[in-house]
């Protein structure tokens, strides 16, 4: 389900903190322990009603966030809210992947017929998502999809 906020409880010292101080929809969250045993929380949220239906939910543009428990710090992992079609966390390798739509007509919706999507992977060192495909392979795929089929 969708949550309006997350409360983190520390049982060692009986303290609680509220992660957000604004209207927000938490679409999903995943606790992560990286290779250095650093505890983090990946959170996918909707902050704006981009489809104007008066409800914050997964149908709006989404923003990926990462909360660091040790530093008590929230990082935004994208420059702006995005059309995130899907995400996958692979526990065995601690990798997070996003399928992000390219909204060519800027209508905040994804048209499978005319618009493409890219696969991005979370880079912990850069603390942001980066494209999985290199530029030349990405260009090849775009050209292939945009070319007309010859008979």
């Amino acid at each position: 389900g969708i949550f309006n906020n997350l409360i983190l409880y520390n049982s060692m010292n009986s303290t609680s903190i509220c992660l957000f101080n604004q209207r927000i929809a938490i679409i999903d969250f995943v606790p992560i322990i990286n290779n250095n045993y650093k505890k983090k929380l990946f959170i996918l949220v909707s902050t704006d009603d981009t489809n104007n239906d008066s409800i914050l939910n997964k149908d709006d543009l989404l923003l990926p966030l990462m909360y660091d428990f040790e530093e008590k710090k929230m990082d935004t992992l994208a420059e702006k809210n995005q059309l995130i079609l899907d995400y996958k966390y692979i526990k065995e390798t601690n990798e997070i992947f996003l399928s992000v739509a390219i909204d060519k007509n800027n209508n905040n919706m994804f048209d499978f017929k005319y618009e493409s999507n890219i696969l991005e992977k979370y880079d912990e060192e850069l603390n942001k998502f980066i494209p999985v495909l290199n530029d030349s392979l990405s260009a090849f795929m775009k050209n292939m999809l945009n070319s007309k089929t010859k008979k």
Side-chain angles (χ1 to χ4, degrees):
I2 295 176
F3 299 94
N4 293 317
N5 215 321
L6 285 176
I7 307 295
L8 301 181
Y9 176 71
N10 183 336
S11 62
M12 301 294 281
N13 59 14
S14 297
T15 59
S16 300
I17 61 167
C18 183
L19 278 188
F20 301 98
N21 58 5
Q22 66 190 46
R23 182 177 177 232
I24 201 163
I26 298 165
I27 306 308
D28 205 355
F29 59 95
V30 178
I32 297 170
I33 299 176
N34 70 9
N35 296 337
N36 299 325
Y37 300 100
K38 195 169 188 179
K39 296 176 185 172
K40 293 187 175 189
L41 186 64
F42 172 72
I43 312 167
L44 201 55
V45 302
S46 172
T47 59
D48 297 309
D49 180 23
T50 54
N51 65 358
N52 298 314
D53 66 354
S54 300
I55 301 169
L56 290 179
N57 60 26
K58 65 179 178 47
D59 298 329
D60 295 305
L61 297 181
L62 302 177
L63 192 62
L65 306 171
M66 187 71 76
Y67 180 78
D68 186 313
F69 286 94
E70 188 177 297
E71 296 178 17
K72 297 180 181 169
K73 180 182 165 203
M74 182 78 71
D75 287 321
T76 303
L77 305 179
E79 293 177 19
K80 61 180 181 163
N81 290 2
Q82 301 174 312
L83 280 167
I84 297 174
L85 304 174
D86 197 11
Y87 88 95
K88 181 74 175 168
Y89 171 63
I90 301 172
K91 185 176 183 179
E92 294 79 17
T93 59
N94 264 332
E95 293 175 304
I96 306 169
F97 293 90
L98 296 180
S99 175
V100 181
I102 307 300
D103 186 18
K104 291 181 180 178
N105 59 5
N106 294 315
N107 67 350
N108 295 334
M109 294 185 293
F110 182 60
D111 185 343
F112 285 93
K113 203 172 189 179
Y114 302 105
E115 296 174 321
S116 60
N117 63 313
I118 60 171
L119 184 63
E120 294 183 343
K121 176 183 170 183
Y122 175 65
D123 184 308
E124 189 170 3
E125 199 171 294
L126 296 174
N127 200 32
K128 67 178 187 176
F129 281 89
I130 58 171
V132 170
L133 299 179
N134 62 39
D135 290 341
S136 62
L137 187 54
S138 182
F140 170 78
M141 294 297 292
K142 284 178 188 173
N143 287 337
M144 186 176 68
L145 291 172
N146 291 333
S147 67
K148 294 184 179 184
T149 306
K150 295 182 180 180
K151 293 184 179 182

